Every structure is written in C-alpha cells, then in structure tokens.
Amino acid sequence: FQNNGDENAFNNSNETTPAPQTLPKKADHEATKGHPQDLDSFYKTYPSFAWGPIVVSAFLFGLGKIPVVNEYFSKHEMTAFGWEAALKYTVFAIVSSYAFHGWCSVHADHSLKIQSGKLTTSWVQFAVWTAIVGVYWDAHFYFAHRWAHENKWAYTFFHKTHHLVKDPNCFGAYFVTYQSHILLEQIVVFIMAMCGMPRDVFMFVMYYGTIATYLEHSGYEFGHMKLPFVPYLKMDHVMMVLGLPTVFLSGVSVAEHDWHHEKFLQNYGLSFKYLDKIFGTYHPGRVPGEQQLIKPKSEVSKSE
C-alpha cells in the first residue's frame, strides 16, 4: 500500500482515522494492454461480437423456414438445439472457466507449469459418431488454423487476438474474435448437424471439449498429475477413457499447444498430432518446470 498524503498521518495521535490509502495501479497485462475496459468500448472495438451472433442466428432461423430443409429435418427426426440448452452451456462454460482457473492458481503443483439433435440409440452409435466428429473437427481445425497463420489477411481478421496471449491460461482459451468461432467451430458444428450428428454426441463433445480446451490452454501439464485417492492413475488415463473412440490417435499435450502459442508456426492440431507430424509442423514443446526444449527424436538420434 502507498500512503496518499502526510507521511506522519499514521503517527499523529490526534487522528482517529488513518489517512486515505490507494492501491498501486495494476500494470496492464501485455495481452490486454490498450484493450477496452467496459462493454460499450468493447463492442465498438470488436463489433463482430455484436453482428456475429445476429448473422448466425438469422441464418439458422431462416434456414428452418425453407420447406425443403424443414422436410429434411422432419425426415431425419432432427430438432434445434434450442435457446435453453445453449444458455445452460454458456453458463457452464463461464462458471467453469473461473472455477478451473482458480483451481489452477491455488491448488496446482507449480512445478508442472510450462512457462514462467436426436438421441443416440446405442453405445456403438455414440462411439462411432464421437470418433467421426473428433477426427473431422481436428482435420478441419488443422487446415483452417494453419491457413489463418500463414495468410496475413486471415491472421489479422480471424486469429491475431487469440495470439496476443503467449503464455496461456484457461481464460485465453476463448480469447478470440467471433469470426474465429465461425471459422474454427461453428462451421464444423453446422456440417456435422446437417450430416445427422445425434444430440447427445453434440452435448458430450461440447461439454468435454470445453474442459479439454481449458486444460490445453492451462499452461500446466496435468497429464502427469496423479489423481487423489487413486495415485496409480493419472489425468492422462482419464482423458484416454473419455476419448476412447479416438484412442488410436495420439492426443495433443499441453506442452505442444503451449509451444504453438510461444513460437506461433508449429503444432496446429486441435486434438491430435498426426497431421502435424505428416506435414512437418510438429514440435514436442518444453519440459514442464525445466524451461528447456524437448529434442525431437530425429535430433536425439543424430546427437547419439
């Protein structure tokens, strides 16, 4: 605290109350420096957050009024996700982001820190659809994400805001423009929905994907963390079970995505790393807590 006034204010016996105090001005975070601090200026600076939802909602509403589309929906017993369900998910995403960040900040072992529709009728259908959505979304994300990095206009329009954060935390997971949501997420959901994606698969992918995104942007390699009460199990085992339909593919680690934020031009995958390895954009990232690079296998073999 800083004393705002007479230096002897606290020592004056005639004073019954301490002199007013002011907190030191909080330094702006590098990623948010110069950004709007209230809603009015926020929407003026980022109008896409106003027109984006309006355009998407109007498009979906109009789509449902087309007779051919309505007939297709009825034939396949497809129903709209609905405002109530969307609101529940939104509340969940907001509350869980604060809860998860608080847990990371207070309870996480800091040595793990990297940088200072219709219902599915069977489990088989659920597993198959989850795998289809996961694999397609990852492929769509890889190529669209890479394009948004390598094309100057696309980077500025879609993705630059997200990369203002070089040392991620879970709040940075959705620190993106609305047009980025459309390019990397909503187009995928729309395509999968038109292909008949069951409602419960969509619910699982969205809820699980939200937590997975927080983990991926947490800056902590939680995969190595032992679980309470069952210390022989680690977080990696839980993630493997939840991602069982795609267990045959190697998942993206926090260190790998953290490296993407730090160095910008590698590790474009969303959920899996095989496309990065095929197209030569893969890097294993850093060792948690050691601030050192993990040598790719090719470099290790050469040095040996």
Side-chain angles (χ1 to χ4, degrees):
F1 290 148
Q2 295 176 341
N3 182 12
N4 209 23
D6 184 4
E7 293 179 354
N8 298 315
F10 291 111
N11 299 321
N12 191 335
S13 59
N14 295 325
E15 293 287 345
T16 56
T17 57
Q21 294 178 311
T22 58
L23 289 173
K25 185 179 179 182
K26 185 178 179 181
D28 288 334
H29 190 282
E30 181 184 355
T32 57
K33 188 177 293 184
H35 279 258
Q37 301 298 312
D38 57 77
L39 283 177
D40 288 342
S41 54
F42 174 83
Y43 282 111
K44 288 178 181 177
T45 306
Y46 300 108
S48 63
F49 279 89
W51 62 255
I54 294 173
V55 169
V56 172
S57 299
F59 171 73
L60 295 176
F61 180 79
L63 193 66
K65 298 298 181 180
I66 301 174
V68 176
V69 176
N70 247 327
E71 184 180 344
Y72 177 85
F73 288 163
S74 299
K75 181 180 178 181
H76 293 83
E77 300 179 5
M78 298 169 68
T79 57
F81 187 59
W83 288 104
E84 183 180 351
L87 179 62
K88 288 179 180 177
Y89 168 72
T90 302
V91 171
F92 163 80
I94 294 172
V95 173
S96 59
S97 68
Y98 281 89
F100 185 76
H101 180 70
W103 184 85
C104 288
S105 300
V106 176
H107 299 291
D109 182 353
H110 281 243
S111 66
L112 299 175
K113 187 76 169 71
I114 294 169
Q115 287 191 60
S116 274
K118 65 177 180 180
L119 296 178
T120 302
T121 55
S122 71
W123 281 107
V124 173
Q125 284 181 312
F126 181 85
V128 170
W129 263 107
T130 302
I132 290 172
V133 174
V135 172
Y136 173 74
W137 201 328
D138 179 74
H140 175 102
F141 188 94
Y142 176 87
F143 291 108
H145 186 199
R146 185 172 178 178
W147 171 71
H149 272 270
E150 296 179 350
N151 182 283
K152 186 176 181 181
W153 173 85
Y155 177 70
T156 303
F157 183 71
F158 288 104
H159 205 49
K160 184 177 180 179
T161 297
H162 185 60
H163 273 275
L164 292 172
V165 180
K166 302 294 191 298
D167 181 5
N169 58 63
C170 72
F171 291 111
Y174 291 107
F175 183 52
V176 298
T177 60
Y178 196 85
Q179 53 267 32
S180 178
H181 276 304
I182 294 174
L183 175 68
L184 299 176
E185 299 171 1
Q186 294 179 3
I187 290 176
V188 176
V189 172
F190 179 73
I191 292 172
M192 290 291 97
M194 295 306 294
C195 290
M197 174 176 58
R199 181 187 181 95
D200 52 348
V201 171
F202 173 65
M203 294 291 291
F204 172 77
V205 168
M206 293 302 293
Y207 278 73
Y208 170 68
T210 298
I211 296 299
T213 300
Y214 294 154
L215 285 169
E216 200 169 86
H217 287 84
S218 67
Y220 293 80
E221 193 61 271
F222 285 116
H224 301 164
M225 186 180 71
K226 293 181 179 179
L227 300 179
F229 309 114
V230 280
Y232 49 87
L233 292 178
K234 297 181 179 180
M235 182 67 76
D236 272 342
H237 297 122
V238 175
M239 302 302 285
M240 183 181 70
V241 171
L242 291 174
L244 196 59
T246 52
V247 73
F248 58 92
L249 295 173
S250 183
V252 172
S253 72
V254 179
E256 289 158 357
H257 192 71
D258 203 276
W259 181 260
H260 171 73
H261 273 266
E262 185 180 350
K263 298 299 183 182
F264 186 75
L265 288 175
Q266 291 175 304
N267 298 349
Y268 297 110
L270 173 66
S271 303
F272 313 115
K273 63 187 75 173
Y274 73 97
L275 288 175
D276 277 302
K277 290 186 173 181
I278 290 173
F279 293 102
T281 55
Y282 174 74
H283 193 285
R286 295 183 180 276
V287 175
E290 295 183 12
Q291 293 295 303
Q292 69 183 34
L293 299 183
I294 302 172
K295 287 186 177 180
K297 290 182 179 179
S298 58
E299 292 183 18
V300 173
S301 60
K302 287 179 182 177
S303 63
E304 293 174 350

